[in-house]
Amino acid sequence: MASDPARYLPLLGIVRSLPAIVRGVSVEVVAVTIFVALLCVCVLIGHLLEENRWANESTTALILGLCTGFLTLVFSKWHSSHFLSFDEELFFIYLLPPIIFNAGFQVKKKQFFRNFSIIFLLGAVGTLISFCFISTGSYFLFKMIGVASFGIQQYLAIGAIFSATDSVCTLQVLNQDETPLLYSVVFGEGVVNDATSIVLFNAVQKLDFNNFDAVSALKLLGTFLYLFFTSTALGVAAGLLCAYITKKLYFARHSTNREVAMMLLMAYLSYMLAQLCSLSGILSIFFCGVVMSHYTWHNVTERSRITTRHASATISFIAETFIFLYVGMDALDIDKWKQSNGSVRTTVTVSGILLALIMLGRAAFVFPLANLANFFRSNAKIDFSQQFIIWWSGLIRGAVTIALSYEQFSTSSSTSSDDAFLITNSIIVVLFSTVVFGSVTNPLIQVTLFRQSRPAPAADMDPPSLEDIRLLFLEPANRGVDEGGSNQRRSGVGLIIWHPTSAAHYFWRWFDDRFMRPVFGGRGFMRLIHGSPPHEETENV
């Protein structure tokens, strides 16, 4: 956070209007106090509007930020809409890590890995398609309207920035008990999409675009794969190390606080190490959270489990609200609008083009990939209404888009006119998509999904059980017909072909139970701690 008092001069008008009791207090203290009060107001309004079908917490924070920014402009005599200033590093160092860690820590692993094939198709392959579509489309369409001052790296950065989705509004409406398949796909695709977008963004930053050709494109793909897998490996290693430490050292003998501190600090350490090694910290901390929830979480006491789960969710909620609140104020930043070299007509046109590319680019992969996945799925197929909800859920842009925009276009104290132009357009896209698309999400899902389709029977939702898979592998394919005299059992190879996810799940469970859990702990391998009530097992891999 900036410490230069000159950056807080717009707040002096507000300070002078306060009673004499607060005069002479540090400007930073007053600014933080006001911002914390606004966060409290956001929580209160979000609670009061919980049952409102047109409102959500993200929209509430944005609108409150807009109102606060307008009042700040009035008090500062139209000089600035900010009373709290910080640079883009605050997003990546303090705000994004708890959001992504909570996503990995709270993920329903059984549903996530059961539908991993479609999640990976939409979250990774689909993001690559959207990245290419938005980058190419912006390259040609911007030139058609006379915006031709950007380079290849900026267009590729635009593609990576606007490929990052925010499905929070949709997840607030969906119920994972009523629609387990759709909820897991939307949630899983959202977190994989964020990680893929950030890895793509980092890969773009590492390339030299002075001589961009086919070799450079292959180099971009290689850099992407390197960042993706090395960042994942670092996060998994950090999670396993934390699990091993908590299992062997038995922190609960002295203090359960140390257990919670070790989990949170190790997760944050994985993020910072990834940043230090020029990897994707977001990807590392996400998979660190997944591993911790699978191993470490079972090695600690019941009190530590409850504390860690609620603490990570609370910190993530505050960070998200903080970001949307600040984005609302930043939308009225006079300096950025003055620095921008685009007219009102050009700004509206570019924002419209970006929104159109987002919608078309998402449609270009959601419907084809969903139908491709249906071709290989024998049950729990994704019908058109569910495909539409998946498409709609990815149209909203939020925290990751804003963070990447600041990272790319606001890297110095003197932002150029082109950079300011792209930042303002990013803010417009985030505001419009969150307020308009987010407000319509609840009634749209109610009309499209719940009123036109009935929940699928439980038998149709579940793939073959682990016991069925075990029997299919153990019994030879040529054993003959079953007792009913109808069909012959599929061979193990046939099972892998027709149920690859279930087969992979079976092999992973065998490997996990035999080799991983005896070393790193987990369900069935945790200590019996005196005074800790028995834990009712939650959904797991």
Side-chain angles (χ1 to χ4, degrees):
M1 191 172 298
S3 59
D4 183 9
R7 302 185 67 179
Y8 296 93
L9 289 178
L11 185 65
L12 293 178
I14 302 178
V15 175
R16 294 191 185 100
S17 65
L18 296 176
I21 190 172
V22 300
R23 290 180 183 173
V25 178
S26 172
V27 177
E28 290 88 344
V29 173
V30 178
V32 174
T33 302
I34 296 176
F35 214 97
V36 172
L38 290 174
L39 289 173
C40 294
V41 173
C42 285
V43 174
L44 178 61
I45 296 177
H47 171 72
L48 296 176
L49 297 179
E50 182 69 26
E51 303 298 329
N52 191 293
R53 61 184 301 184
W54 296 99
N56 56 74
E57 291 170 343
S58 301
T59 304
T60 301
L62 275 175
I63 295 176
L64 184 60
L66 285 170
C67 296
T68 306
F70 178 77
L71 292 177
T72 308
L73 278 175
V74 174
F75 280 114
S76 64
K77 298 181 179 180
W78 306 97
H79 286 94
S80 176
S81 64
H82 296 160
F83 56 80
L84 184 66
S85 299
F86 58 91
D87 55 27
E88 71 280 357
E89 288 297 323
L90 180 64
F91 282 110
F92 285 96
I93 301 301
Y94 301 108
L95 298 180
L96 282 184
I99 295 174
I100 304 300
F101 171 74
N102 181 68
F105 193 77
Q106 305 281 1
V107 66
K108 299 296 183 182
K109 295 181 293 299
K110 181 181 291 185
Q111 287 289 342
F112 180 83
F113 288 104
R114 174 180 293 173
N115 301 302
F116 185 75
S117 57
I118 181 63
I119 289 174
F120 181 80
L121 277 176
L122 296 176
V125 179
T127 303
L128 286 171
I129 296 174
S130 177
F131 164 74
C132 297
F133 192 95
I134 295 175
S135 299
T136 305
S138 60
Y139 176 80
F140 288 104
L141 293 177
F142 283 9
K143 290 183 180 297
M144 290 178 60
I145 63 174
V147 180
S149 58
F150 304 130
I152 295 178
Q153 186 172 16
Q154 288 175 307
Y155 285 113
L156 292 178
I158 290 173
I161 289 169
F162 290 100
S163 295
T165 65
D166 187 350
S167 55
V168 173
C169 295
T170 306
L171 292 174
Q172 290 174 351
V173 179
L174 293 177
N175 188 305
Q176 57 183 328
D177 296 323
E178 297 178 358
T179 57
L181 171 64
L182 187 58
Y183 186 94
S184 65
V185 170
V186 171
F187 177 82
E189 190 242 338
V191 293
V192 174
N193 166 273
D194 285 347
T196 305
S197 300
I198 293 171
V199 171
L200 270 175
F201 180 83
N202 292 335
V204 169
Q205 307 306 308
K206 294 178 180 294
L207 291 182
D208 181 14
F209 291 91
N210 293 328
N211 298 312
F212 189 80
D213 51 15
V215 177
S216 300
L218 292 176
K219 197 173 181 180
L220 175 63
L221 179 61
T223 305
F224 166 77
L225 295 176
Y226 168 77
L227 290 174
F228 194 95
F229 289 108
T230 51
S231 302
T232 301
L234 178 60
V236 171
L240 292 177
L241 177 61
C242 183
Y244 185 80
I245 291 174
T246 54
K247 183 175 184 293
K248 291 297 182 182
L249 297 186
Y250 187 26
F251 286 97
R253 288 179 301 188
H254 306 295
S255 172
T256 57
N257 296 334
R258 291 188 176 91
E259 292 180 325
V260 178
M262 177 60 67
M263 293 178 68
L264 297 179
L265 290 175
M266 283 293 293
Y268 192 65
L269 179 62
S270 70
Y271 177 86
M272 296 308 300
L273 286 176
Q275 296 292 99
L276 185 64
C277 299
S278 300
L279 301 176
S280 172
I282 300 300
L283 199 61
S284 295
I285 199 172
F286 170 73
F287 280 100
C288 183
V290 173
V291 172
M292 282 187 176
S293 67
H294 186 60
Y295 296 111
T296 313
W297 194 72
H298 297 279
N299 297 339
V300 300
T301 63
E302 181 74 12
R303 285 176 295 180
S304 297
R305 294 171 189 165
I306 296 174
T307 301
T308 306
R309 185 174 294 277
H310 287 287
S312 63
T314 302
I315 296 173
S316 173
F317 168 76
I318 294 175
E320 285 185 346
T321 307
F322 185 98
I323 290 174
F324 281 108
L325 188 62
Y326 185 82
V327 167
M329 290 188 292
D330 202 57
L332 300 177
D333 189 350
I334 299 298
D335 293 334
K336 288 189 178 67
W337 289 102
K338 289 180 179 179
Q339 291 176 4
S340 176
N341 60 354
S343 62
V344 175
R345 179 179 179 181
T346 303
T347 301
V348 173
T349 304
V350 169
S351 300
I353 289 175
L354 290 173
L355 285 168
L357 290 175
I358 289 171
M359 299 176 70
L360 294 176
R362 184 159 181 83
F365 74 83
V366 167
F367 298 104
L369 292 181
N371 285 284
L372 177 64
N374 286 338
F375 180 77
F376 291 98
R377 293 168 71 97
S378 59
N379 50 25
K381 295 182 182 294
I382 304 176
D383 58 32
F384 180 78
S385 61
Q386 292 175 325
Q387 294 176 24
F388 179 82
I389 297 302
I390 294 173
W391 170 77
W392 181 267
S393 68
L395 296 180
I396 302 173
R397 296 298 180 265
V400 176
T401 298
I402 288 295
L404 294 179
S405 297
Y406 275 89
E407 177 74 6
Q408 173 67 23
F409 304 118
S410 183
T411 56
S412 62
S413 58
S414 57
T415 304
S416 67
S417 59
D418 291 337
D419 292 339
F421 177 74
L422 290 175
I423 289 176
T424 53
N425 278 277
S426 301
I427 293 173
I428 291 174
V429 170
V430 171
L431 282 173
F432 184 88
S433 62
T434 302
V435 175
V436 177
F437 294 159
S439 300
V440 180
T441 295
N442 193 347
L444 184 66
I445 289 180
Q446 296 294 331
V447 172
T448 304
L449 189 64
F450 297 128
R451 294 184 182 178
Q452 296 184 1
S453 62
R454 294 174 296 179
D460 296 336
M461 294 299 296
D462 295 329
S465 65
L466 291 178
E467 181 64 19
D468 293 338
I469 297 173
R470 187 182 70 82
L471 292 175
L472 286 172
F473 273 103
L474 291 179
E475 296 189 12
N478 57 358
R479 184 163 182 172
V481 297
D482 57 12
E483 294 181 0
S486 56
N487 296 325
Q488 192 177 17
R489 287 185 180 271
R490 283 197 187 100
S491 64
V493 176
L495 178 66
I496 294 176
I497 295 175
W498 291 102
H499 301 286
T501 305
S502 301
H505 186 215
Y506 166 77
F507 285 119
W508 163 249
R509 286 294 299 270
W510 174 84
F511 177 79
D512 190 32
D513 292 337
R514 186 161 184 175
F515 298 103
M516 298 296 290
R517 291 185 182 182
V519 177
F520 299 104
R523 183 183 58 183
F525 291 90
M526 58 280 197
R527 291 177 181 266
L528 289 176
I529 302 172
H530 181 70
S532 178
H535 172 64
E536 184 178 351
E537 180 59 34
T538 57
E539 189 178 64
N540 213 317
V541 180

